[in-house]
Amino acid sequence: MLKNKWLTLAISLSIYAGGIIIALYLCADMVTIQTLAVVLTGIILIWYTWETMLLRLIASSQRELDLQPFVIYKNINGQYWIENIGRGVALNISVNTVEIGDDSYKLEILFPKKFPFLKPNECQQLTPIVKINGAEVSNLHASHLNPIYANQDTEVSISFSNSEKTKYMVQETVSPFNLEINQIIKLT
């Protein structure tokens, strides 16, 4: 990083000095030389402003990463959990309803409990409510969300926000013998 700083300074000074030297040889008029010096100074100032803007963008994205929670769904020994693996506190966490099947056989796995917050590296256990065609049944049918017992790809979505009220959604796919994080979506 320090090497790049000195290289940038050397390039800037070389361009400026080169421009002044060329102006001295090509132009006999002092007003023209002064005008050229001001133009070169302006070009270097614009370039410096551009570099400073890039630094500001990098700092802003780093701050966002420091505040960003990342809540995932996982299954441990047949129990359902959410965990914040991000750096920031997750607020207003909810797991969206999972629907499997069609109109003739509709399995719904609901996670009605919403969590107000989840600190980094903190886990909370989920208690699903399972309905088949609208009638509540045993939680045993929630095994579709366990990769060991899954017989098809099922999507689980988790919604949450960070401390600045930016909303996110994580989408995961539970497949036979596999649990995969598909994407994190920034909603606002």
Side-chain angles (χ1 to χ4, degrees):
M1 184 74 174
L2 188 60
K3 185 177 182 180
N4 288 340
K5 181 176 93 172
W6 293 113
L7 181 63
T8 304
L9 182 62
I11 291 171
S12 299
L13 288 174
S14 298
I15 291 172
Y16 191 78
I20 296 297
I21 290 169
I22 290 171
L24 285 172
Y25 283 113
L26 295 179
C27 305
D29 185 10
M30 201 57 154
V31 174
T32 307
I33 295 172
Q34 287 175 345
T35 304
L36 187 59
V38 170
V39 169
L40 286 173
T41 303
I43 290 170
I44 290 173
L45 184 61
I46 290 169
W47 181 48
Y48 175 77
T49 303
W50 181 262
E51 290 293 325
T52 304
M53 181 200 60
L54 292 176
L55 286 173
R56 181 174 169 244
L57 290 174
I58 291 169
S60 175
S61 67
Q62 182 62 43
R63 182 177 176 275
E64 184 177 337
L65 285 174
D66 285 342
L67 290 176
Q68 184 177 346
F70 195 113
V71 180
I72 60 167
Y73 162 82
K74 61 184 185 176
N75 189 294
I76 303 172
N77 298 327
Q79 296 178 334
Y80 311 100
W81 296 83
I82 55 172
E83 180 180 8
N84 182 3
I85 60 172
R87 293 181 177 178
V89 175
L91 303 172
N92 305 319
I93 306 121
S94 63
V95 180
N96 299 341
T97 300
V98 176
E99 295 181 357
I100 301 171
D102 53 16
D103 290 337
S104 62
Y105 179 81
K106 187 175 184 180
L107 174 69
E108 294 177 289
I109 304 171
L110 297 95
F111 298 95
K113 184 177 179 185
K114 299 192 183 322
F115 298 93
F117 67 93
L118 205 57
K119 295 182 275 187
N121 301 315
E122 185 179 17
C123 291
Q124 287 288 332
Q125 187 171 2
L126 299 171
T127 306
I129 295 175
V130 182
K131 293 183 179 181
I132 296 178
N133 294 333
E136 194 169 324
V137 295
S138 165
N139 286 350
L140 183 62
H141 293 282
S143 62
H144 288 280
L145 298 181
N146 186 338
I148 296 172
Y149 304 113
N151 59 8
Q152 65 184 22
D153 289 354
T154 306
E155 189 172 285
V156 178
S157 299
I158 304 162
S159 302
F160 54 92
S161 60
N162 68 5
S163 59
E164 292 185 334
K165 298 184 181 177
T166 302
K167 294 182 181 181
Y168 298 94
M169 182 187 306
V170 171
Q171 294 178 334
E172 297 181 61
T173 301
V174 180
S175 302
F177 301 102
N178 190 29
L179 178 61
E180 180 178 322
I181 298 172
N182 296 336
Q183 62 183 339
I184 182 168
I185 303 167
K186 184 177 180 181
L187 300 175
T188 56

